[in-house]
């Protein structure tokens, strides 16, 4: 329903698809759905209540499967919790809610065996000049490690060069123009610093 994103992932060798349903034509507070391949087609295994879901991101921690949803807005506000879910063997259950401002992307990545999540925040209801945030898994939840000033952030992409971790942010809009710089950051051992 007003689908915005698909995310595919595997659990125990079986293939799943998560669809982020954004809007049904009248409301943003609708279910997004998890499907599983049954040998001939994808069958629904779970419906998860979401608020203007924009994107799903799947990742693993210690062999366990997680899904993060970016809840972009509801019928009132774009200051909403986005949610991290964990597979419990039969369905995804909520493990953490994270306050977000019109998030348009989650990006998961690892540094030295530790799991990080970056959220791209687009607009807080007043301005596009807001921080996007980097989180790190502390063993039981994601804790903020860094806020990075972004401008209508649309997407994060991580990559490695010679064993070094980089993050690139797509800055899309400042409220007036789309003619703005996007930025590449490099992990310096404790935080991301701008390199270009």
């Amino acid at each position: 329903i007003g689908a915005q994103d698909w995310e595919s992932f595997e659990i125990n060798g079986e293939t799943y698809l998560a669809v982020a349903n954004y809007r049904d034509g009248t409301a943003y507070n609708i279910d997004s759905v998890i499907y599983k391949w049954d040998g001939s087609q994808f069958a629904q295994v779970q419906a998860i209540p979401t608020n203007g879901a924009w994107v799903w991101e799947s990742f693993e921690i210690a062999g366990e499967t997680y899904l993060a949803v970016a809840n972009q807005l509801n019928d009132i506000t774009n200051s909403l919790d986005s949610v991290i879910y964990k597979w419990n063997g039969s369905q995804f259950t909520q493990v953490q809610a994270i306050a977000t401002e019109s998030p348009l992307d989650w990006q998961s990545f690892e540094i030295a065996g530790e799991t990080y999540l970056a959220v791209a925040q687009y607009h807080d209801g007043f301005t596009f000049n807001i921080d996007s945030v980097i989180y790190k898994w502390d063993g039981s939840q994601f804790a903020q490690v860094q806020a990075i000033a972004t401008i209508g952030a649309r997407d994060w992409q991580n990559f490695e060069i010679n064993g070094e971790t980089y993050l690139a942010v797509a800055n899309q809009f400042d409220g007036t123009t789309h003619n703005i710089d996007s930025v590449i950051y490099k992990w310096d051992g404790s935080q991301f610093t701008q390199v270009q």
Side-chain angles (χ1 to χ4, degrees), residues 96-112:
Q96 186 176 1
I98 297 175
T100 52
E101 302 284 350
S102 194
L104 297 185
D105 188 46
W106 281 110
Q107 179 69 43
S108 64
F109 56 97
E110 288 190 4
I111 301 174

Side-chain angles (χ1 to χ4, degrees), residues 7 36 39 67 81 85 100 107 113 122 127 159 161:
E7 177 77 357
K36 177 183 172 183
L67 277 177
D81 286 346
Y85 300 90
T100 52
Q107 179 69 43
Y122 187 70
T127 180
F159 55 97
I161 301 174

Side-chain angles (χ1 to χ4, degrees), residues 15-149:
T15 302
Y16 292 76
L17 277 176
V19 63
N21 286 326
Y22 181 68
R23 189 168 190 262
D24 69 1
T26 59
Y28 297 94
N29 300 329
I30 60 174
D31 289 348
S32 291
V33 183
I34 313 299
Y35 299 90
K36 177 183 172 183
W37 183 251
D38 68 8
S40 61
Q41 64 180 357
F42 282 95
Q44 180 175 324
V45 295
Q46 186 176 2
I48 295 177
T50 52
N51 306 109
W54 194 265
V55 69
W56 285 104
E57 175 76 357
S58 64
F59 55 96
E60 288 190 5
I61 302 173
E64 304 279 3
T65 302
Y66 293 77
L67 277 177
V69 67
N71 284 320
Q72 207 247 342
L73 78 163
N74 61 19
D75 299 311
I76 300 168
T77 181
N78 57 4
S79 296
L80 298 166
D81 286 346
S82 289
V83 183
I84 314 298
Y85 300 90
K86 180 182 177 182
W87 183 252
N88 70 4
S90 60
Q91 66 178 354
F92 285 95
T93 58
Q94 180 175 324
V95 294
Q96 186 176 1
I98 297 175
T100 52
E101 302 284 350
S102 194
L104 297 185
D105 188 46
W106 281 110
Q107 179 69 43
S108 64
F109 56 97
E110 288 190 4
I111 301 174
E114 300 198 276
T115 302
Y116 293 77
L117 276 177
V119 63
Q121 300 196 113
Y122 187 70
H123 189 264
D124 68 1
F126 302 99
T127 180
F128 295 89
N129 299 305
I130 63 172
D131 289 346
S132 291
V133 185
I134 313 298
Y135 299 91
K136 179 183 174 183
W137 183 252
D138 68 8
S140 61
Q141 65 177 359
F142 284 95
Q144 180 174 325
V145 294
Q146 186 176 1
I148 295 176

